[in-house]
Amino acid sequence: MSFDESVYEYVKTVPKGRVVTYGMIAAAIGHPRAARQVGNALHRNPYPVVVPCHRVVNREGRLAPAFAFGGTDAQAELLRAEGVEVTGGFVDMEKYVWRT
């Protein structure tokens, strides 16, 4: 399985109403220093409905400034539709982070 496919498969496991970070994904798929590459893979996501990349934020809970599927506002809207509170472009990581 390619790096990108590993990222997509992991992101598909993140439940609605929860978020993970790029670094968490990188570590989970066996590449702990590849957070930036995870972001690149998600930016190229060919399955935007199937792979819920809107559930991925940075380590501080900040939404993606270049969310590939409509920008930060679109990402915030998708998260809010799942019950995640977004304030000032951030998600409360203590409340919404998903740990496997």
Side-chain angles (χ1 to χ4, degrees), residues 70-84:
T72 304
D73 290 340
Q75 184 179 12
E77 184 177 318
L78 289 167
L79 288 170
R80 286 183 182 121
E82 295 182 354
V84 176

Side-chain angles (χ1 to χ4, degrees), residues 12-31:
K12 288 193 299 189
T13 69
V14 179
K16 289 181 180 179
R18 304 304 249 172
V19 297
V20 294
T21 68
Y22 302 101
M24 291 169 70
I25 296 168
I29 65 169
H31 298 274

Side-chain angles (χ1 to χ4, degrees), residues 1-91:
M1 181 179 307
S2 73
F3 180 89
D4 286 11
E5 288 297 324
S6 295
V7 169
Y8 304 146
E9 288 303 311
Y10 182 83
V11 173
K12 288 193 299 189
T13 69
V14 179
K16 289 181 180 179
R18 304 304 249 172
V19 297
V20 294
T21 68
Y22 302 101
M24 291 169 70
I25 296 168
I29 65 169
H31 298 274
R33 299 182 59 82
R36 187 173 300 241
Q37 289 87 336
V38 168
N40 289 333
L42 292 173
H43 192 75
R44 295 187 297 269
N45 178 6
Y47 321 107
V49 175
V50 177
V51 178
C53 56
H54 64 280
R55 297 180 188 147
V56 183
V57 297
N58 82 0
R59 63 189 168 109
E60 299 168 336
R62 181 187 307 262
L63 304 187
F67 181 64
F69 306 100
T72 304
D73 290 340
Q75 184 179 12
E77 184 177 318
L78 289 167
L79 288 170
R80 286 183 182 121
E82 295 182 354
V84 176
E85 297 172 39
V86 179
T87 305
F90 285 86
V91 169

